[in-house]
């Protein structure tokens, strides 16, 4: 079986242990054996990164551009093969896997350009004879901790800006999906990234992740994952004086108004709720539907959902791949049972026979917004359908959540679309589009319990990955 090691200071090193990377579509298919590091591996990576930092921070932006552009070209040239790996290890369909790989390549390309565009300001001082310069500097060594559900896009959307702006990186991917992260490390090395500038330490959050958060040689942590882990990490980083950015969960509302185009609404809800097996932080897990269209919408939603083909992620006919592992499947099934106990009429949600973790998408009809199944993030193919009287009730219900990542509305009314866009308490708003599915060159992130710190992606990413320095000069 192929063995994959950590990348520390430019060398491939074994860990203290290994993890089997298992295909959730077919648990007999083992992708490889991946190293698990420990606290000592993090210490070694920090030392390598600190040694490499002055050279990388001081390098010409052309050097940084060329490494990132090299990574972009390599990823895009291998999109089919890497997309297949992604679908094998995470379980999203092959089309979704290839799409995510392309996005990773495009992100590297975008930040290759950003490396050349890092500008500052020269400002006139209020004091005669003084010049004021506002410039950006890299933070130093940045620790990246990532989840399993976007195993190539999320590591890349953190690593690319970190590197573009002159930081050195230590990446700890999810223990469940190390395959794509290993490929990123290998591709960056091949693209000429100097030793120690990008380090990969695979392993468990409780050992590798915890050491990264506490290590005094790491200047900042960018985390994506669950609220529980994120909040704990956030507190520790504050105490240690580290800069921290956290992207966490969602319980994203999709409002469907009486005047919506039914085809558009059903299409957006099926995509937003169930594609990628509902394992997206931006998934539409609360479908909030006004009275006049509710019954027709529910009939169409039930029919469209029942027609979805669930199966092996690599089968081109599959529309919904497997759940990522047994633990997540058990959690989904607990919520299906809970929704029933809470009084919902549940359609779907049952497991399917097969060599993987297959589950039919579930609709919780007759839900209210106060039910636990409507308030807690499930992170599976489950959506509550909540009936409301009118637009005002829909908006209030949409905002009645601890989360604030993405919010959508399906309507043909410009008035309601504009009002919702302004008043939805979310970082991203979608009109007649699924709540999930975003561009790679504009800011991504939420508010309330979903996010903390500056936005990721697009040129806004520099807010996290750089310090601002204001200099006063009397020539
Ligand atoms: P998770 O359990 O919180 O894990 C995220 C990462 O944190 C993993 O690499 C994990 O390591 C690590 N970790 C766990 N405990 C740690 C600790 N004590 N110290 C440092 N690191 C630690 O989340 P997940 O189940 O992988 O991902 C699903 C969650 O991510 C959902 O809530 C979803 O909404 C959220 N998500 C948010 C966004 C967004 O941008 N807002 C995007 C995607 C996903 P292990 O590998 O050992 O678990």
């Amino acid at each position: 079986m192929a063995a994959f090691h950590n990348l520390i200071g430019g060398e491939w090193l074994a860990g203290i242990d290994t993890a089997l990377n298992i295909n959730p579509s077919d648990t007999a298919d083992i992708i490889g054996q991946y190293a698990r590091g420990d606290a000592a591996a993090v210490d070694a990576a920090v030392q390598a990164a600190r040694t490499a930092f002055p050279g990388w921070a001081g390098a010409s932006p052309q050097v940084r551009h060329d490494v990132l552009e090299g990574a972009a070209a390599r990823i895009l040239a291998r999109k089919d093969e890497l997309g297949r790996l992604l679908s094998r290890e995470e379980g999203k369909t092959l089309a979704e896997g290839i799409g995510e790989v392309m996005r990773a390549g495009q992100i590297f390309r975008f930040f290759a350009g950003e490396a050349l565009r890092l500008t500052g300001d020269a400002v006139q001082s209020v004091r005669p004879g003084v010049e004021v310069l506002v410039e950006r500097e890299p933070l130093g060594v940045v620790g990246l901790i990532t989840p399993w559900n976007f195993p190539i896009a999320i590591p890349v959307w953190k690593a690319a800006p970190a590197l573009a702006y002159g930081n050195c990186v230590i990446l700890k991917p999810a223990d469940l999906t190390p395959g794509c992260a290993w490929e990123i490390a290998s591709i960056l090395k091949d693209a000429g990234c100097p030793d120690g500038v990008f380090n990969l330490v695979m392993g468990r959050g409780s050992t590798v992740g915890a050491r990264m958060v506490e290590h005094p040689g790491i200047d900042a942590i960018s985390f994506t994952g669950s609220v529980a882990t994120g909040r704990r990490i956030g507190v520790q980083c504050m105490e240690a004086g580290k800069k921290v950015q956290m992207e966490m969960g969602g319980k994203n509302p999709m409002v469907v108004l009486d005047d919506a185009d039914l085809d558009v609404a059903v299409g957006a809800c099926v995509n937003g709720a169930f594609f990628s097996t509902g394992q997206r932080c931006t998934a539409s897990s609360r479908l909030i539907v006004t009275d006049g269209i509710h019954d027709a919408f529910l009939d169409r939603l039930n029919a469209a959902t029942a027609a979805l083909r669930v199966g092996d992620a690599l089968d081109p006919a599959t529309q919904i791949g497997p759940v990522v592992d047994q633990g997540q499947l058990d959690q989904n099934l607990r919520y299906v049972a809970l929704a029933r106990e809470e009084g919902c009429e549940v359609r779907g949600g049952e497991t399917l026979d097969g060599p993987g973790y297959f589950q039919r998408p579930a609709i919780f009809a007759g839900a209210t917004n106060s039910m636990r199944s409507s308030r807690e993030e499930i992170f599976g193919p489950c959506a509550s359908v909540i009936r409301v009287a009118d637009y005002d009730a829909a908006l209030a219900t949409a905002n009645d959540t601890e989360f604030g990542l993405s919010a959508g509305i399906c309507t043909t009314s410009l008035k309601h679309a504009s009002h919702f866009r302004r008043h939805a308490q979310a970082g991203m708003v979608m009109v007649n589009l699924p709540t999930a599915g975003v561009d790679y060159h504009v800011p991504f992130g939420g508010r309330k319990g979903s996010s903390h710190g500056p936005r990721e992606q697009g040129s806004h990413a520099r807010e996290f990955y750089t310090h601002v320095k204001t200099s006063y000069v009397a020539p």
Side-chain angles (χ1 to χ4, degrees):
M1 189 188 307
F4 299 88
H5 290 167
N6 285 324
L7 181 65
I8 298 174
E11 290 192 50
W12 295 108
L13 300 174
I16 46 150
D17 186 9
T18 56
L20 292 182
N21 191 353
I22 297 170
N23 179 350
S25 295
D26 175 2
T27 54
D29 177 26
I30 310 292
I31 296 156
Q33 213 171 20
Y34 288 78
R36 273 193 181 131
D38 58 357
V42 174
D43 295 354
V46 172
Q47 197 178 0
R50 293 234 75 92
T51 305
F53 176 63
W56 185 246
S60 156
Q62 187 68 50
V63 171
R64 297 201 287 271
H65 167 278
D66 292 351
V67 168
L68 297 180
E69 173 52 35
R74 283 165 174 79
I75 287 178
L76 291 171
R78 291 173 57 199
K79 66 180 169 49
D80 293 338
E81 172 212 340
L82 293 173
R84 201 179 156 79
L85 168 67
L86 197 164
S87 295
R88 249 177 104 201
E89 74 169 345
E90 197 269 349
K92 60 185 67 171
T93 65
L94 191 53
E96 290 170 331
I98 292 170
E100 187 183 329
V101 168
M102 288 178 65
R103 183 170 169 192
Q106 287 158 337
I107 292 169
F108 264 130
R109 182 154 286 160
F110 176 87
F111 282 104
E114 287 294 279
L116 296 168
R117 280 192 290 266
L118 190 59
T119 55
D121 293 317
V123 182
Q124 232 183 333
S125 171
V126 293
R127 285 174 277 170
V130 174
E131 289 171 4
V132 182
L133 298 168
V134 183
E135 294 163 297
R136 289 182 182 271
E137 295 179 352
L139 302 178
V141 176
V142 179
L144 312 179
I145 300 176
T146 56
W148 48 263
N149 67 325
F150 282 91
I152 196 162
I154 293 179
V156 167
W157 85 46
K158 294 180 188 299
L163 295 172
Y165 301 133
N167 301 284
C168 291
V169 165
I170 300 169
L171 168 65
K172 190 216 95 64
D175 194 46
L176 207 50
T177 55
C180 287
W182 188 90
E183 293 292 343
I184 296 168
S186 166
I187 283 168
L188 277 166
K189 186 170 167 58
D190 193 46
C193 190
D195 293 351
V197 169
F198 181 91
N199 303 275
L200 173 72
V201 185
M202 299 176 285
R204 293 187 188 281
S206 51
T207 50
V208 173
R211 180 62 181 153
M212 285 167 65
V213 172
E214 73 181 17
H215 200 299
I218 294 185
D219 300 287
I221 295 281
S222 179
F223 167 85
T224 298
S226 62
V227 171
T229 311
R231 286 203 177 140
R232 207 172 331 128
I233 287 176
V235 169
Q236 288 173 281
C237 286
M238 296 289 176
E239 279 172 359
K242 279 189 197 350
K243 195 169 183 183
V244 62
Q245 172 184 58
M246 300 178 297
E247 283 300 338
M248 299 172 286
K251 194 74 182 177
N252 308 288
M254 170 57 95
V255 168
V256 179
L257 295 186
D258 285 357
D259 63 15
D261 178 317
L262 254 190
D263 288 337
V264 169
V266 172
C269 290
V270 167
N271 175 320
F274 303 130
F275 283 19
S276 299
T277 324
Q279 298 174 150
R280 295 188 283 191
C281 50
T282 48
S284 319
S285 41
R286 293 183 299 138
L287 311 179
I288 300 164
V289 188
T290 49
D291 211 28
I293 200 172
H294 177 275
D295 293 354
F297 170 81
L298 186 58
D299 284 350
R300 292 277 298 276
L301 180 72
N302 281 332
T305 304
L308 290 171
R309 288 187 297 270
V310 179
D312 190 311
L314 297 180
D315 180 341
T318 294
Q319 292 170 291
I320 308 291
V323 172
V324 74
D325 71 353
Q326 187 66 51
Q328 183 65 50
L329 180 59
D330 291 344
Q331 175 166 308
N332 298 350
L333 293 173
R334 280 198 296 276
Y335 275 105
V336 170
L338 174 68
R340 218 173 252 124
E341 279 165 32
E342 290 182 308
C344 296
E345 188 191 326
V346 176
R347 289 272 186 118
E350 62 275 14
T351 54
L352 298 177
D353 288 342
Y357 307 111
F358 300 114
Q359 181 183 23
R360 285 217 61 80
I363 295 170
F364 304 160
T368 67
N369 202 47
S370 57
M371 293 174 176
R372 271 184 57 208
S373 52
S374 300
R375 301 200 79 78
E376 298 172 12
E377 185 183 47
I378 301 173
F379 217 55
C382 306
S384 303
V385 180
I386 302 169
R387 186 197 284 261
V388 292
D390 53 20
Y391 170 74
D392 290 339
L395 176 64
T397 305
N399 286 336
D400 178 14
T401 168
E402 66 172 290
F403 298 107
L405 189 55
S406 181
I409 187 167
C410 289
T411 179
T412 51
S413 152
L414 180 60
K415 180 180 142 196
H416 286 138
S418 305
H419 190 273
F420 187 81
R421 201 168 53 71
R422 288 199 202 96
H423 296 277
Q425 294 165 2
M428 295 171 290
V429 176
M430 310 289 178
V431 177
N432 295 319
L433 289 167
T435 54
V438 296
D439 286 4
Y440 66 86
H441 65 308
V442 290
F444 176 97
R447 57 174 81 166
K448 293 161 73 175
S450 292
S451 303
H452 175 89
R455 287 287 183 270
E456 301 205 76
Q457 301 195 63
S459 51
H460 280 66
R462 70 177 58 166
E463 299 303 331
F464 181 72
Y465 290 104
T466 59
H467 289 300
V468 173
K469 181 179 276 176
T470 311
S471 309
Y472 297 83
V473 182

